[in-house]
Amino acid sequence: MPQHLSPREILAELVGFATVSRDPNLPLIEWVAGYLHSHGIESFQHRKPTELDTKAALFAHAGPRVAGGVVLSGHTDVVPVDGQSWTSDPFVLTEREGRLYGRGTTDMKGFDALAIWAMVEAQQRGVPLQLALSYDEEIGCVGGRDLAEALVASDLPRAASVIVGEPTMMKAVSGHKGSVNFWVHVHGVEVHSSILHTGVSAIMWGAKLIEWCNGINAQNAASTPGPVAAMFEPPYTNVHVGQISGGTAHNITAKDCAFGVGFRIVPGETTEQWVTRFKAEVARLTEQMQQVRPEAWIEITPMFEVPALRPGANNSAETLVRAITGDNASLQVSYGTEAGHFQAAGYDAVVCGPSDIILAHTPDEYIEIAQLEAGQRFMDRLLTRLG
C-alpha cells in the first residue's frame, strides 16, 4: 500500500526542500510527482525554458477525467533567509506552542501540502480535482504565466475555477492589483563637479524621473477613485522605487545611476496606459539630457508584469469558496498573485489559503496548526461538494 501522508507530514517534506527562487525547485517537483504517482495520479511537468534542468512547474488531474472542476494552485519557490535571524533551522519543520515554523510554511507550502493531500483524497473518492504548482512566483509571478499557458495547452479536462492558495486566513479575496516593473539605467557623462553644466549627472537626472513617480502618486492620491479602485487600499495606482545605486565620487558627475520602478495598478486601468506614460516621460528627459550631451540617455528594461485580478459578478471560484467558508466579506488586496494569470487565461479565479500574509517572508515564519487544520477542513468540504 502507498504511504498516505497527512498535510503536516507533506508540509515537512516540502519545507525540507530549500526552493529559494534563485535555486532549483526540481527536487521538490520530482518528490511531488513520485508521491502522486504512488497513488495512481499521473502528473506533467513544464520545464522553465531557460533552466531546463533546474526548474519546473507541475500539473496533475485526480479522479474522473471530466471538465468543469477546480484547480488548486500554489507556488513552490520561497524567499531567501539570508541575513535573517531564525530560532530554528528554516528548512526543517519545527513545532513550538501550536505553530509550525519553517521557510514557506505560510507562503505558501502550507497550502501546497493541503492541495497535495486533497489530490490523493480526490483520487480515492473518485472526485475530479486538479493541481498546479509553479516556480518563480516570488520574483514576479513569472512561473504562473508559464503554468497557466501550459495547463490550457494540455489535454487535461478544462477546469472552470482556480483557487490560488496565498495566505488569506481562509477568506475569499476576489480582486488584487496588477503590476509592471522596470529596471532603469540612466547613462550620464562624467565631468568634474565644478563644471557640472558641461556633463550629465546620471544621479541628478535619475532623480527627475523619481520625482515624476512622486508626482504621479500625489496626483493619483488627490483624485476621486472610481468604484473599482475604491475597493483597494490605497484606492489608486501607485509607483514605487525600492532600490538605487550609482556614482563614482562626490566630485564627479555620475556616469551611471540604476534603480527599479514598479507600478501597482488598480483593475480598470491598463498596464499599457501606464507603460505609455512612463516611456513618454523617459523620452522627454532623454531629449533634455541629450541637449547637453548627445551620448546621454535613459535605458529601461522590463522586469515582469502581473495581471490584475478583476473583481466581478458570476465568478464561480469565488461563489464556491464562499459557499464552503460562509465568508461573505468583500476583500481585495494590493499585492499581486498568480490568480491574475489564470483569469487572463480564461479561468474564474479566487485567492484563498491558510495563514496570514503578514507572516510571509519574515524570520521565524510559521503557520498556526489551527490554520492548517482549518485548511484541511476546507479541502474536505470542497471534495464533498465536487463529489
Side-chain angles (χ1 to χ4, degrees), residues 33-378:
Y35 180 68
L36 293 177
H37 179 76
S38 72
H39 288 276
I41 303 170
E42 293 306 310
S43 61
F44 308 87
Q45 294 183 24
H46 172 76
R47 297 296 176 97
K48 184 176 181 180
T50 56
E51 299 182 51
L52 296 179
D53 297 320
T54 62
K55 290 187 179 182
L58 176 146
F59 50 92
H61 183 101
R65 291 177 67 89
V66 297
V70 172
V71 180
L72 301 176
S73 172
H75 62 80
T76 60
D77 59 320
V78 297
V79 298
V81 298
D82 307 31
Q84 293 186 335
S85 178
W86 282 72
T87 304
S88 54
D89 188 331
F91 298 109
V92 175
L93 192 68
T94 305
E95 179 180 352
R96 296 194 300 274
E97 299 178 344
R99 299 169 174 175
L100 298 174
Y101 289 83
R103 174 56 87 219
T105 47
T106 278
D107 186 19
M108 59 182 298
K109 290 181 176 180
F111 178 84
D112 293 346
L114 291 165
I116 294 166
W117 175 85
M119 287 289 288
V120 172
E121 287 290 310
Q123 184 77 353
Q124 293 182 345
R125 300 185 197 185
V127 174
L129 188 67
Q130 294 184 358
L131 173 68
L133 299 177
S134 70
Y135 52 78
D136 286 357
E137 190 274 346
E138 296 291 2
I139 54 175
C141 292
V142 177
R145 178 197 60 220
D146 296 344
L147 176 57
E149 291 175 353
L151 191 56
V152 168
S154 75
D155 63 355
L156 293 181
R158 172 77 179 213
S161 306
V162 177
I163 301 172
V164 177
E166 294 283 0
T168 67
M169 295 298 287
M170 298 310 303
K171 296 183 182 297
V173 168
S174 59
H176 64 64
K177 292 184 178 183
S179 65
V180 61
N181 290 257
F182 294 90
W183 190 248
V184 178
H185 183 177
V186 183
H187 298 267
V189 178
E190 291 178 310
V191 297
H192 193 280
S193 60
S194 65
I195 50 171
L196 171 66
H197 64 290
T198 66
V200 173
S201 168
I203 289 177
M204 297 180 74
W205 281 90
K208 293 177 184 286
L209 186 57
I210 294 173
E211 184 54 28
W212 177 84
C213 297
N214 288 329
I216 291 294
N217 288 336
Q219 177 184 331
N220 288 353
S223 64
T224 301
V228 175
M231 298 178 181
F232 294 85
E233 179 57 39
Y236 54 85
T237 294
N238 63 336
V239 197
H240 177 246
V241 175
Q243 290 179 297
I244 188 168
S245 63
T248 302
H250 76 281
N251 59 350
I252 305 173
T253 57
K255 180 181 178 182
D256 298 286
C257 181
F259 51 91
V261 174
F263 295 79
R264 296 281 181 172
I265 304 169
V266 293
E269 299 176 3
T270 67
T271 299
E272 290 75 18
Q273 74 183 75
W274 283 107
V275 170
T276 297
R277 290 184 66 177
F278 180 59
K279 288 184 175 179
E281 181 62 15
V282 167
R284 187 184 73 84
L285 291 174
T286 295
E287 182 180 4
Q288 292 182 4
M289 293 165 63
Q290 291 180 343
Q291 290 175 2
V292 181
R293 296 292 292 263
E295 62 268 42
W297 65 298
I298 301 176
E299 176 185 9
I300 58 173
T301 304
M303 295 173 65
F304 59 83
E305 179 180 342
V306 181
L309 176 63
R310 303 181 305 277
N314 304 316
N315 182 331
S316 63
E318 181 183 353
T319 300
L320 176 62
V321 167
R322 293 193 187 284
I324 294 172
T325 63
D327 167 39
N328 291 314
S330 178
L331 296 176
Q332 292 78 35
V333 296
S334 291
Y335 57 81
T337 79
E338 293 176 333
H341 284 302
F342 282 102
Q343 188 180 66
Y347 293 94
D348 284 355
V350 68
V351 184
C352 180
S355 199
D356 195 321
I357 192 66
I358 66 172
L359 301 173
H361 303 183
T362 60
D364 279 350
E365 179 183 349
Y366 66 85
I367 185 171
E368 298 276 0
I369 293 175
Q371 275 291 297
L372 194 65
E373 292 172 345
Q376 186 172 1
R377 291 192 296 271
F378 174 92

